[in-house]
PDB file of all heavy atoms in Angstrom:
ATOM      1  N   GLU A  64      12.658  59.834  81.479  1.00  0.00           N
ATOM      2  CA  GLU A  64      13.480  60.613  82.507  1.00  0.00           C
ATOM      3  C   GLU A  64      14.239  61.692  81.902  1.00  0.00           C
ATOM      4  O   GLU A  64      14.400  62.668  82.468  1.00  0.00           O
ATOM      5  CB  GLU A  64      14.406  59.677  83.234  1.00  0.00           C
ATOM      6  CG  GLU A  64      13.747  58.672  84.174  1.00  0.00           C
ATOM      7  CD  GLU A  64      14.653  57.604  84.639  1.00  0.00           C
ATOM      8  OE1 GLU A  64      15.956  57.624  84.349  1.00  0.00           O
ATOM      9  OE2 GLU A  64      14.193  56.658  85.348  1.00  0.00           O
ATOM     10  N   ASN A  65      14.574  61.638  80.650  1.00  0.00           N
ATOM     11  CA  ASN A  65      15.383  62.597  79.861  1.00  0.00           C
ATOM     12  C   ASN A  65      14.486  63.394  78.882  1.00  0.00           C
ATOM     13  O   ASN A  65      15.114  64.159  78.137  1.00  0.00           O
ATOM     14  CB  ASN A  65      16.488  61.973  79.094  1.00  0.00           C
ATOM     15  CG  ASN A  65      17.566  61.413  80.021  1.00  0.00           C
ATOM     16  OD1 ASN A  65      18.434  62.174  80.363  1.00  0.00           O
ATOM     17  ND2 ASN A  65      17.542  60.110  80.410  1.00  0.00           N
ATOM     18  N   GLY A  66      13.239  63.411  79.119  1.00  0.00           N
ATOM     19  CA  GLY A  66      12.300  64.162  78.276  1.00  0.00           C
ATOM     20  C   GLY A  66      12.311  63.903  76.855  1.00  0.00           C
ATOM     21  O   GLY A  66      11.932  64.788  76.006  1.00  0.00           O
ATOM     22  N   VAL A  67      12.540  62.598  76.488  1.00  0.00           N
ATOM     23  CA  VAL A  67      12.468  62.122  75.068  1.00  0.00           C
ATOM     24  C   VAL A  67      11.072  61.638  74.809  1.00  0.00           C
ATOM     25  O   VAL A  67      10.795  60.545  75.481  1.00  0.00           O
ATOM     26  CB  VAL A  67      13.550  61.192  74.775  1.00  0.00           C
ATOM     27  CG1 VAL A  67      13.450  60.714  73.289  1.00  0.00           C
ATOM     28  CG2 VAL A  67      15.009  61.804  74.965  1.00  0.00           C
ATOM     29  N   SER A  68      10.266  62.223  73.967  1.00  0.00           N
ATOM     30  CA  SER A  68       8.964  61.741  73.710  1.00  0.00           C
ATOM     31  C   SER A  68       8.890  60.950  72.420  1.00  0.00           C
ATOM     32  O   SER A  68       9.431  61.349  71.329  1.00  0.00           O
ATOM     33  CB  SER A  68       7.975  63.005  73.586  1.00  0.00           C
ATOM     34  OG  SER A  68       6.743  62.618  73.407  1.00  0.00           O
ATOM     35  N   LEU A  69       8.303  59.775  72.471  1.00  0.00           N
ATOM     36  CA  LEU A  69       8.362  58.833  71.246  1.00  0.00           C
ATOM     37  C   LEU A  69       6.970  58.238  71.031  1.00  0.00           C
ATOM     38  O   LEU A  69       6.154  58.190  71.931  1.00  0.00           O
ATOM     39  CB  LEU A  69       9.239  57.591  71.588  1.00  0.00           C
ATOM     40  CG  LEU A  69      10.719  57.938  71.901  1.00  0.00           C
ATOM     41  CD1 LEU A  69      11.363  56.644  72.435  1.00  0.00           C
ATOM     42  CD2 LEU A  69      11.469  58.470  70.716  1.00  0.00           C
ATOM     43  N   THR A  70       6.802  57.797  69.734  1.00  0.00           N
ATOM     44  CA  THR A  70       5.577  57.007  69.433  1.00  0.00           C
ATOM     45  C   THR A  70       6.134  55.692  68.813  1.00  0.00           C
ATOM     46  O   THR A  70       7.182  55.673  68.085  1.00  0.00           O
ATOM     47  CB  THR A  70       4.822  57.615  68.371  1.00  0.00           C
ATOM     48  OG1 THR A  70       4.138  58.830  68.947  1.00  0.00           O
ATOM     49  CG2 THR A  70       3.643  56.752  67.633  1.00  0.00           C
ATOM     50  N   GLU A  71       5.582  54.581  69.285  1.00  0.00           N
ATOM     51  CA  GLU A  71       6.007  53.198  68.762  1.00  0.00           C
ATOM     52  C   GLU A  71       5.074  52.669  67.830  1.00  0.00           C
ATOM     53  O   GLU A  71       3.891  52.856  67.848  1.00  0.00           O
ATOM     54  CB  GLU A  71       5.953  52.257  70.073  1.00  0.00           C
ATOM     55  CG  GLU A  71       6.440  50.893  69.579  1.00  0.00           C
ATOM     56  CD  GLU A  71       6.365  49.877  70.822  1.00  0.00           C
ATOM     57  OE1 GLU A  71       5.278  49.494  71.251  1.00  0.00           O
ATOM     58  OE2 GLU A  71       7.403  49.657  71.520  1.00  0.00           O
ATOM     59  N   VAL A  72       5.645  52.155  66.630  1.00  0.00           N
ATOM     60  CA  VAL A  72       4.960  51.560  65.559  1.00  0.00           C
ATOM     61  C   VAL A  72       5.467  50.145  65.336  1.00  0.00           C
ATOM     62  O   VAL A  72       6.714  49.866  65.245  1.00  0.00           O
ATOM     63  CB  VAL A  72       5.067  52.493  64.389  1.00  0.00           C
ATOM     64  CG1 VAL A  72       4.219  51.861  63.160  1.00  0.00           C
ATOM     65  CG2 VAL A  72       4.604  53.869  64.559  1.00  0.00           C
ATOM     66  N   VAL A  73       4.563  49.229  65.035  1.00  0.00           N
ATOM     67  CA  VAL A  73       4.943  47.769  64.824  1.00  0.00           C
ATOM     68  C   VAL A  73       5.246  47.827  63.319  1.00  0.00           C
ATOM     69  O   VAL A  73       4.379  47.985  62.466  1.00  0.00           O
ATOM     70  CB  VAL A  73       3.836  46.762  65.167  1.00  0.00           C
ATOM     71  CG1 VAL A  73       4.369  45.341  64.885  1.00  0.00           C
ATOM     72  CG2 VAL A  73       3.498  46.890  66.681  1.00  0.00           C
ATOM     73  N   ALA A  74       6.497  47.373  62.956  1.00  0.00           N
ATOM     74  CA  ALA A  74       6.924  47.424  61.547  1.00  0.00           C
ATOM     75  C   ALA A  74       6.549  46.169  60.814  1.00  0.00           C
ATOM     76  O   ALA A  74       6.445  46.092  59.744  1.00  0.00           O
ATOM     77  CB  ALA A  74       8.450  47.605  61.447  1.00  0.00           C
ATOM     78  N   GLY A  75       6.278  45.087  61.628  1.00  0.00           N
ATOM     79  CA  GLY A  75       6.048  43.753  60.993  1.00  0.00           C
ATOM     80  C   GLY A  75       6.559  42.690  61.992  1.00  0.00           C
ATOM     81  O   GLY A  75       6.872  42.970  63.163  1.00  0.00           O
ATOM     82  N   TYR A  76       6.628  41.474  61.279  1.00  0.00           N
ATOM     83  CA  TYR A  76       7.114  40.322  62.209  1.00  0.00           C
ATOM     84  C   TYR A  76       8.268  39.626  61.500  1.00  0.00           C
ATOM     85  O   TYR A  76       8.433  39.637  60.309  1.00  0.00           O
ATOM     86  CB  TYR A  76       5.907  39.292  62.338  1.00  0.00           C
ATOM     87  CG  TYR A  76       4.569  39.864  63.018  1.00  0.00           C
ATOM     88  CD1 TYR A  76       3.542  40.188  62.159  1.00  0.00           C
ATOM     89  CD2 TYR A  76       4.634  40.279  64.243  1.00  0.00           C
ATOM     90  CE1 TYR A  76       2.382  40.717  62.800  1.00  0.00           C
ATOM     91  CE2 TYR A  76       3.540  40.888  64.844  1.00  0.00           C
ATOM     92  CZ  TYR A  76       2.264  40.974  64.009  1.00  0.00           C
ATOM     93  OH  TYR A  76       1.167  41.527  64.529  1.00  0.00           O
ATOM     94  N   ASP A  77       9.048  38.989  62.264  1.00  0.00           N
ATOM     95  CA  ASP A  77      10.160  38.178  61.787  1.00  0.00           C
ATOM     96  C   ASP A  77      10.249  36.933  62.743  1.00  0.00           C
ATOM     97  O   ASP A  77       9.931  36.852  63.814  1.00  0.00           O
ATOM     98  CB  ASP A  77      11.478  38.915  61.852  1.00  0.00           C
ATOM     99  CG  ASP A  77      12.588  38.194  61.197  1.00  0.00           C
ATOM    100  OD1 ASP A  77      12.209  37.261  60.211  1.00  0.00           O
ATOM    101  OD2 ASP A  77      13.832  38.474  61.460  1.00  0.00           O
ATOM    102  N   GLY A  78      10.767  35.825  62.101  1.00  0.00           N
ATOM    103  CA  GLY A  78      11.067  34.586  62.861  1.00  0.00           C
ATOM    104  C   GLY A  78      12.428  34.311  62.776  1.00  0.00           C
ATOM    105  O   GLY A  78      13.109  34.691  61.734  1.00  0.00           O
ATOM    106  N   ILE A  79      12.970  33.750  63.835  1.00  0.00           N
ATOM    107  CA  ILE A  79      14.393  33.328  63.789  1.00  0.00           C
ATOM    108  C   ILE A  79      14.340  31.834  63.668  1.00  0.00           C
ATOM    109  O   ILE A  79      13.742  31.070  64.473  1.00  0.00           O
ATOM    110  CB  ILE A  79      14.999  33.684  65.078  1.00  0.00           C
ATOM    111  CG1 ILE A  79      15.051  35.231  65.172  1.00  0.00           C
ATOM    112  CG2 ILE A  79      16.491  33.217  65.116  1.00  0.00           C
ATOM    113  CD1 ILE A  79      15.661  35.723  66.501  1.00  0.00           C
ATOM    114  N   VAL A  80      14.955  31.314  62.670  1.00  0.00           N
ATOM    115  CA  VAL A  80      14.866  29.934  62.157  1.00  0.00           C
ATOM    116  C   VAL A  80      16.206  29.233  62.604  1.00  0.00           C
ATOM    117  O   VAL A  80      17.344  29.790  62.669  1.00  0.00           O
ATOM    118  CB  VAL A  80      14.518  29.767  60.706  1.00  0.00           C
ATOM    119  CG1 VAL A  80      13.159  30.412  60.445  1.00  0.00           C
ATOM    120  CG2 VAL A  80      15.688  30.238  59.880  1.00  0.00           C
ATOM    121  N   ILE A  81      16.072  27.937  62.752  1.00  0.00           N
ATOM    122  CA  ILE A  81      17.181  27.068  62.775  1.00  0.00           C
ATOM    123  C   ILE A  81      17.088  26.179  61.643  1.00  0.00           C
ATOM    124  O   ILE A  81      16.008  25.365  61.347  1.00  0.00           O
ATOM    125  CB  ILE A  81      17.179  26.149  64.109  1.00  0.00           C
ATOM    126  CG1 ILE A  81      17.052  27.107  65.300  1.00  0.00           C
ATOM    127  CG2 ILE A  81      18.357  25.127  64.186  1.00  0.00           C
ATOM    128  CD1 ILE A  81      16.601  26.341  66.599  1.00  0.00           C
ATOM    129  N   ALA A  82      18.128  26.238  60.694  1.00  0.00           N
ATOM    130  CA  ALA A  82      17.915  25.535  59.443  1.00  0.00           C
ATOM    131  C   ALA A  82      19.262  24.761  59.002  1.00  0.00           C
ATOM    132  O   ALA A  82      20.291  25.099  59.525  1.00  0.00           O
ATOM    133  CB  ALA A  82      17.563  26.528  58.396  1.00  0.00           C
ATOM    134  N   ASN A  83      19.116  23.927  58.046  1.00  0.00           N
ATOM    135  CA  ASN A  83      20.298  23.235  57.443  1.00  0.00           C
ATOM    136  C   ASN A  83      20.178  22.987  55.987  1.00  0.00           C
ATOM    137  O   ASN A  83      18.946  23.177  55.518  1.00  0.00           O
ATOM    138  CB  ASN A  83      20.651  22.074  58.251  1.00  0.00           C
ATOM    139  CG  ASN A  83      19.610  20.886  58.104  1.00  0.00           C
ATOM    140  OD1 ASN A  83      18.382  21.168  57.997  1.00  0.00           O
ATOM    141  ND2 ASN A  83      20.064  19.640  58.185  1.00  0.00           N
ATOM    142  N   ALA A  84      21.045  22.491  55.351  1.00  0.00           N
ATOM    143  CA  ALA A  84      20.989  22.201  53.853  1.00  0.00           C
ATOM    144  C   ALA A  84      20.012  21.060  53.647  1.00  0.00           C
ATOM    145  O   ALA A  84      19.836  20.226  54.432  1.00  0.00           O
ATOM    146  CB  ALA A  84      22.371  21.811  53.365  1.00  0.00           C
ATOM    147  N   LYS A  85      19.342  21.155  52.575  1.00  0.00           N
ATOM    148  CA  LYS A  85      18.227  20.100  52.190  1.00  0.00           C
ATOM    149  C   LYS A  85      18.829  18.723  52.131  1.00  0.00           C
ATOM    150  O   LYS A  85      18.132  17.779  52.395  1.00  0.00           O
ATOM    151  CB  LYS A  85      17.509  20.562  50.944  1.00  0.00           C
ATOM    152  CG  LYS A  85      16.533  21.563  51.113  1.00  0.00           C
ATOM    153  CD  LYS A  85      15.489  21.721  49.907  1.00  0.00           C
ATOM    154  CE  LYS A  85      14.332  22.424  50.184  1.00  0.00           C
ATOM    155  NZ  LYS A  85      13.386  22.551  49.168  1.00  0.00           N
ATOM    156  N   SER A  86      20.071  18.672  51.867  1.00  0.00           N
ATOM    157  CA  SER A  86      20.739  17.279  51.675  1.00  0.00           C
ATOM    158  C   SER A  86      21.090  16.706  53.029  1.00  0.00           C
ATOM    159  O   SER A  86      21.464  15.520  53.194  1.00  0.00           O
ATOM    160  CB  SER A  86      21.946  17.415  50.935  1.00  0.00           C
ATOM    161  OG  SER A  86      22.847  18.257  51.390  1.00  0.00           O
ATOM    162  N   GLY A  87      20.950  17.586  54.235  1.00  0.00           N
ATOM    163  CA  GLY A  87      21.276  17.060  55.558  1.00  0.00           C
ATOM    164  C   GLY A  87      20.103  16.422  56.142  1.00  0.00           C
ATOM    165  O   GLY A  87      18.970  16.307  55.656  1.00  0.00           O
ATOM    166  N   PRO A  88      20.315  15.985  57.401  1.00  0.00           N
ATOM    167  CA  PRO A  88      19.213  15.264  58.184  1.00  0.00           C
ATOM    168  C   PRO A  88      18.119  16.237  58.571  1.00  0.00           C
ATOM    169  O   PRO A  88      18.270  17.397  58.649  1.00  0.00           O
ATOM    170  CB  PRO A  88      19.975  14.775  59.409  1.00  0.00           C
ATOM    171  CG  PRO A  88      21.143  15.666  59.591  1.00  0.00           C
ATOM    172  CD  PRO A  88      21.642  16.085  58.175  1.00  0.00           C
ATOM    173  N   ASP A  89      16.902  15.663  58.759  1.00  0.00           N
ATOM    174  CA  ASP A  89      15.821  16.420  59.141  1.00  0.00           C
ATOM    175  C   ASP A  89      15.900  16.705  60.818  1.00  0.00           C
ATOM    176  O   ASP A  89      16.330  15.640  61.557  1.00  0.00           O
ATOM    177  CB  ASP A  89      14.505  15.685  58.849  1.00  0.00           C
ATOM    178  CG  ASP A  89      14.229  15.614  57.458  1.00  0.00           C
ATOM    179  OD1 ASP A  89      14.735  16.558  56.630  1.00  0.00           O
ATOM    180  OD2 ASP A  89      13.565  14.713  56.995  1.00  0.00           O
ATOM    181  N   PHE A  90      15.482  17.737  61.189  1.00  0.00           N
ATOM    182  CA  PHE A  90      15.600  18.075  62.629  1.00  0.00           C
ATOM    183  C   PHE A  90      14.191  18.514  63.097  1.00  0.00           C
ATOM    184  O   PHE A  90      13.627  19.475  62.591  1.00  0.00           O
ATOM    185  CB  PHE A  90      16.482  19.197  63.011  1.00  0.00           C
ATOM    186  CG  PHE A  90      18.031  18.869  63.008  1.00  0.00           C
ATOM    187  CD1 PHE A  90      18.731  18.734  61.776  1.00  0.00           C
ATOM    188  CD2 PHE A  90      18.551  18.422  64.191  1.00  0.00           C
ATOM    189  CE1 PHE A  90      20.117  18.454  61.815  1.00  0.00           C
ATOM    190  CE2 PHE A  90      19.896  18.047  64.271  1.00  0.00           C
ATOM    191  CZ  PHE A  90      20.598  18.106  63.091  1.00  0.00           C
ATOM    192  N   GLU A  91      13.570  17.848  64.074  1.00  0.00           N
ATOM    193  CA  GLU A  91      12.509  18.255  64.818  1.00  0.00           C
ATOM    194  C   GLU A  91      12.885  18.401  66.333  1.00  0.00           C
ATOM    195  O   GLU A  91      13.209  17.415  66.996  1.00  0.00           O
ATOM    196  CB  GLU A  91      11.310  17.199  64.751  1.00  0.00           C
ATOM    197  CG  GLU A  91      10.887  17.035  63.350  1.00  0.00           C
ATOM    198  CD  GLU A  91       9.605  16.130  63.231  1.00  0.00           C
ATOM    199  OE1 GLU A  91       9.045  15.948  64.279  1.00  0.00           O
ATOM    200  OE2 GLU A  91       9.356  15.737  62.055  1.00  0.00           O
TER     201      GLU A  91
END
């Protein structure tokens, strides 16, 4: 709408994790 022309490029992938210390309980 504002006349801004763009090209989109995929830079890569990322995951968002839920994590805890190795000494803690396991979570599934």
